[in-house]
């Protein structure tokens, strides 16, 4: 079941001019050395090693008979792809059973069996140009630009211009052909009193929504006049949630107990894949005949979804090999229980990414002079809006944290789809004994990074530099800054709605006509 992941689905094809058949393999499991290709079988046709070549990329090909354990092994680190070339007649259109036998240094002889299809030329759409040698070269990019213009019958004057070396995009963007230029506005500086972020921070916000930057800037000014915002990271965990299927509920229950008893044996298997990922604990949730395991990791300065996926895969491989008490009917690495890229109640309760709180005391006179509302009006408005959130079925009561988070995510190279989880905000306010407004927001699933992903790209890294969030150990600092920005936005919008300034502000600064 796991070995099928080596095969690249959709890669089976007839080579040009009747030169044979080919398919691709990619190591998605663990670093190994391939020590031999014994044979391939497609349908009833057996192709021996003498009729197999392996294309290792970069123009290097090697006969399968020249691959052996005695100094001729092929290094296959995680992520490397190989193309297997078969000297055989072309295959007919349709689905074919593909089997191949090979050996590795770590696992001995392996056998993989999959299905793939040959698609007829008449069913194929025009293909986006790409270069096997260097898909980020100027020539490859220019070919895609011409293709896009010819396909759409339009000329693009702005998409094609960018200021960085496209090779930096490897691992971030496939089929690269240009850039979407998003305006970046400045808000702040915002005074933050965190455990990691301390001082004044100028906030880059990438957006096309009128009044957004102005609104957040207004909220920051008010917070600064009241001494700034206090921020605290109170939780940190990134998840992957596999599911194991059994024949009955009792099998799932017994498996859950076994996992709990063997956590100290599972942990080193998971952590063997990364020097950063650390397995904190595993939650077990049982339903019907399913055992859902929620693996919880710390991931350093990276957001860590890919990191924990690989770690959990290694852990589950060990579990599948060592659990003997009850037959595991099915296994899926992700069950949808981690709720990756989706808002969920479990992440509000249990944390995903960083759990961070921003809070401030807003002085009565500042609130009345700058926002034209009293603390009592704003606190009462919060109670009313809580009823609206409850009736709507929303899983949080924040006003618009997605606005500020998205603008900062785009500016700093975060995975923007994580806004779906990160924007959940639990807002609370009260009038304190001095007649001032205490306001705080808890962001229970803020998924941010200062390393990896898009954070190292040209403009994105410059925005992180502006915040002083480049280098080891800066992710909690960035999380605290984001939380402070969110609180500024909640304060500004809440006051604008309470004082009826909301529509007039959009009329003045936005593009409503």
């Amino acid at each position: 079941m796991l070995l099928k992941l080596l095969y690249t689905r959709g890669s089976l094809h007839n080579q040009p001019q009747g030169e044979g058949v080919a398919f691709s393999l990619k190591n998605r499991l663990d670093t190994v050395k391939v020590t031999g290709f014994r044979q391939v079988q497609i349908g009833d046709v057996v192709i021996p090693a003498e009729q197999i070549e392996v294309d290792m990329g970069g123009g290097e090909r090697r006969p399968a008979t020249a691959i052996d354990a005695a100094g001729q092994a092929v290094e296959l680190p995680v992520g490397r792809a190989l193309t297997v070339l078969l000297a055989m007649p072309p295959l007919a259109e349709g689905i074919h059973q593909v089997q191949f036998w090979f050996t590795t240094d770590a696992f001995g002889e392996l056998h993989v069996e999959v299905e793939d299809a040959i698609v007829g030329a008449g069913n194929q759409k025009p293909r986006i140009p790409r270069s096997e040698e260097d898909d980020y070269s100027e020539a490859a990019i220019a070919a895609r630009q011409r293709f896009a213009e010819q396909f759409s019958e339009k000329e693009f004057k702005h998409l094609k211009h960018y200021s960085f070396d496209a090779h930096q995009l490897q691992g971030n963007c496939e089929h690269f052909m240009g850039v979407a230029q998003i305006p970046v506005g400045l808000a702040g500086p915002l005074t933050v009193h965190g455990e990691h972020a301390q001082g004044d921070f100028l906030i880059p916000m990438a957006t096309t929504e009128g009044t957004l930057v102005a609104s957040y800037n207004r909220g920051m000014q008010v917070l600064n006049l009241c001494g700034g915002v206090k921020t605290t990271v109170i939780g940190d965990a990134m998840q992957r949630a596999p599911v194991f299927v059994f024949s009955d509920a009792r099998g799932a229950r017994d498996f859950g107990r076994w996992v709990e008893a063997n956590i100290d044996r599972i942990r080193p298997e998971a952590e063997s894949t990364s020097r950063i990922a650390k397995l904190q604990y595993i939650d077990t949730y049982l339903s019907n005949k399913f055992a859902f395991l929620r693996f919880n990791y710390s991931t350093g300065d990276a957001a860590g979804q890919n990191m924990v996926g690989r770690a959990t895969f290694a852990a589950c491989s060990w579990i599948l090999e060592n659990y003997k008490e009850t037959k595991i009917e099915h296994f899926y690495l992700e069950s949808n229980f981690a709720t990756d890229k989706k808002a969920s109640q479990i992440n509000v309760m249990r944390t995903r990414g960083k759990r961070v709180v921003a809070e401030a005391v807003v002085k009565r006179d500042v609130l009345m002079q700058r926002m034209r509302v009293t603390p009592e009006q704003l606190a009462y408005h919060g109670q009313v809006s809580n009823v609206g959130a409850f009736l709507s079925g929303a899983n949080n009561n924040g006003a618009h944290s997605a606005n500020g988070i998205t603008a900062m995510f785009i500016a700093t190279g975060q995975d923007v789809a994580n806004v779906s989880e990160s924007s959940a905000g639990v807002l609370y306010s009260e009038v304190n004994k001095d007649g001032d407004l205490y306001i705080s927001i808890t962001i229970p699933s803020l998924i941010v990074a200062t390393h990896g992903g898009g954070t190292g790209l040209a403009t994105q890294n410059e925005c992180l530099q502006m915040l002083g969030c480049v280098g080891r150990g800066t992710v909690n600092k960035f999380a605290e800054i984001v939380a402070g920005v969110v609180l500024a936005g909640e304060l500004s919008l809440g006051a604008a709605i309470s004082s009826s300034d909301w529509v007039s502000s959009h009329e003045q600064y936005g593009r409503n006509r």
Side-chain angles (χ1 to χ4, degrees):
M1 181 165 52
L2 300 179
L3 287 173
K4 289 183 178 182
L5 295 174
L6 291 168
Y7 184 85
T8 302
R9 297 281 180 178
S11 66
L12 185 67
H13 65 279
N14 292 320
Q15 298 193 79
Q17 287 81 48
E19 294 180 357
V21 175
F23 61 83
S24 296
L25 307 177
K26 186 174 183 178
N27 188 357
R28 300 172 175 89
L29 301 173
D30 200 359
T31 297
V32 295
K33 290 182 180 180
V34 177
T35 55
F37 274 91
R38 184 157 66 84
Q39 68 179 37
V40 173
Q41 182 173 335
I42 300 183
D44 296 327
V45 180
V46 176
I47 304 95
E50 291 76 14
Q51 296 173 231
I52 301 173
E53 271 193 312
V54 179
D55 186 339
M56 293 179 285
E60 182 183 359
R61 289 189 180 188
R62 189 183 300 181
T65 53
I67 299 173
D68 57 48
Q72 297 295 320
V74 175
E75 293 278 356
L76 195 63
V78 173
R80 185 177 184 184
L82 303 174
T83 301
V84 180
L85 308 169
L86 310 173
M88 63 176 294
L91 295 171
E93 291 183 22
I95 296 175
H96 297 272
Q97 198 81 18
V98 180
Q99 302 180 66
F100 52 96
W101 289 259
F102 65 106
T103 56
T104 68
D105 60 340
F107 305 107
E109 182 164 313
L110 302 173
H111 171 220
V112 179
E113 184 174 351
V114 296
E115 283 187 343
D116 207 349
I118 294 288
V119 180
N123 296 323
Q124 293 182 354
K125 300 290 185 183
R127 301 195 69 174
I128 297 170
R130 68 182 310 275
S131 168
E132 293 291 344
E133 288 73 30
D134 184 357
D135 206 38
Y136 295 88
S137 65
E138 291 184 9
I141 295 165
R144 284 191 286 272
Q145 292 170 346
R146 289 193 299 271
F147 173 82
E149 291 180 329
Q150 292 166 3
F151 187 89
S152 61
E153 298 181 348
K154 303 293 182 188
E155 181 183 358
F156 304 122
K157 297 181 179 179
H158 303 288
L159 272 173
K160 298 187 290 186
H161 298 289
Y162 49 92
S163 60
F164 52 85
D165 181 358
H167 290 91
Q168 297 176 12
L169 297 174
Q170 286 185 288
N172 291 106
C173 181
E174 301 77 38
H175 292 170
F176 174 69
M177 64 81 64
V179 295
Q181 299 182 69
I182 301 174
V184 176
L186 292 176
L190 172 65
T191 301
V192 180
H193 304 291
E195 293 177 306
H196 306 276
Q198 299 172 357
D200 294 338
F201 298 92
L202 195 60
I203 310 299
M205 309 186 80
T207 183
T208 58
E209 180 182 345
T211 75
L212 186 148
V213 177
S215 176
Y216 277 85
N217 192 59
R218 183 175 84 138
M220 292 175 199
Q221 290 177 349
V222 169
L223 290 177
N224 290 343
L225 288 170
C226 300
V229 57
K230 182 179 181 180
T231 56
T232 310
V233 176
I234 58 175
D236 180 5
M238 179 51 64
Q239 293 78 27
R240 186 59 62 206
V243 60
F244 294 79
V245 182
F246 297 85
S247 61
D248 56 25
R250 198 168 298 168
R253 180 201 64 188
D254 294 344
F255 173 76
R257 292 173 176 172
W258 182 88
V259 168
E260 182 178 358
N262 285 274
I263 180 65
D264 290 334
R265 298 173 68 194
I266 296 170
R267 180 175 286 110
E269 298 296 326
E271 295 180 357
S272 68
T273 64
S274 169
R275 61 184 178 83
I276 302 297
K278 301 298 179 186
L279 179 59
Q280 300 176 25
Y281 55 94
I282 302 173
D283 286 328
T284 301
Y285 298 87
L286 303 177
S287 180
N288 306 91
K289 57 181 181 177
F290 311 130
F292 296 87
L293 302 184
R294 203 164 187 260
F295 284 69
N296 295 267
Y297 299 84
S298 58
T299 58
D301 290 309
Q305 289 102 318
N306 293 333
M307 185 190 301
V308 304
R310 183 180 175 194
T312 304
F313 192 91
C316 290
S317 298
W318 183 88
I319 290 171
L320 289 167
E321 185 177 348
N322 287 273
Y323 184 69
K324 307 296 184 183
E325 298 178 22
T326 312
K327 181 183 178 183
I328 298 172
E329 301 287 343
H330 299 285
F331 157 73
Y332 304 98
L333 180 60
E334 179 50 63
S335 63
N336 225 4
F337 198 65
T339 66
D340 198 4
K341 311 291 172 70
K342 292 174 287 295
S344 68
Q345 191 61 31
I346 192 169
N347 288 339
V348 171
M349 297 297 295
R350 297 288 287 156
T351 301
R352 180 168 169 83
K354 305 296 184 286
R355 192 177 194 92
V356 58
V357 178
E359 54 193 337
V361 174
V362 184
K363 299 296 184 182
R364 170 180 290 272
D365 57 346
V366 173
L367 193 61
M368 293 176 64
Q369 292 168 14
R370 294 300 181 114
M371 299 290 197
R372 292 185 290 280
V373 292
T374 64
E376 289 81 6
Q377 287 174 310
L378 207 51
Y380 179 74
H381 178 196
Q383 294 181 50
V384 174
S385 67
N386 283 344
V387 175
F390 170 74
L391 290 176
S392 73
N395 72 338
N396 68 93
N397 68 338
H400 72 141
S401 56
N403 268 330
I405 291 173
T406 303
M408 292 193 72
F409 273 22
I410 295 173
T412 59
Q414 309 299 310
D415 185 338
V416 183
N418 286 330
V419 170
S420 58
E421 301 147 88
S422 299
S423 61
V426 182
L427 187 67
Y428 173 77
S429 63
E430 65 180 33
V431 181
N432 67 16
K433 60 182 178 60
D434 297 321
D436 299 323
L437 180 75
Y438 169 82
I439 184 170
S440 72
I441 190 162
T442 298
I443 307 176
S445 48
L446 181 63
I447 302 173
V448 290
T450 54
H451 177 78
T455 62
L457 299 181
T459 60
Q460 292 82 353
N461 193 256
E462 288 183 352
C463 287
L464 284 172
Q465 291 179 41
M466 188 185 305
L467 294 165
C469 291
V470 174
R472 187 182 298 275
T474 55
V475 70
N476 286 335
K477 177 181 181 181
F478 182 60
E480 289 185 342
I481 295 170
V482 173
V485 171
V486 168
L487 187 66
E490 297 296 292
L491 176 62
S492 181
L493 180 59
I497 297 173
S498 292
S499 65
S500 299
D501 283 345
W502 187 26
V503 173
S504 61
S505 296
H506 272 274
E507 290 290 335
Q508 181 177 355
Y509 296 108
R511 290 190 173 183
N512 290 332
R513 291 182 175 82

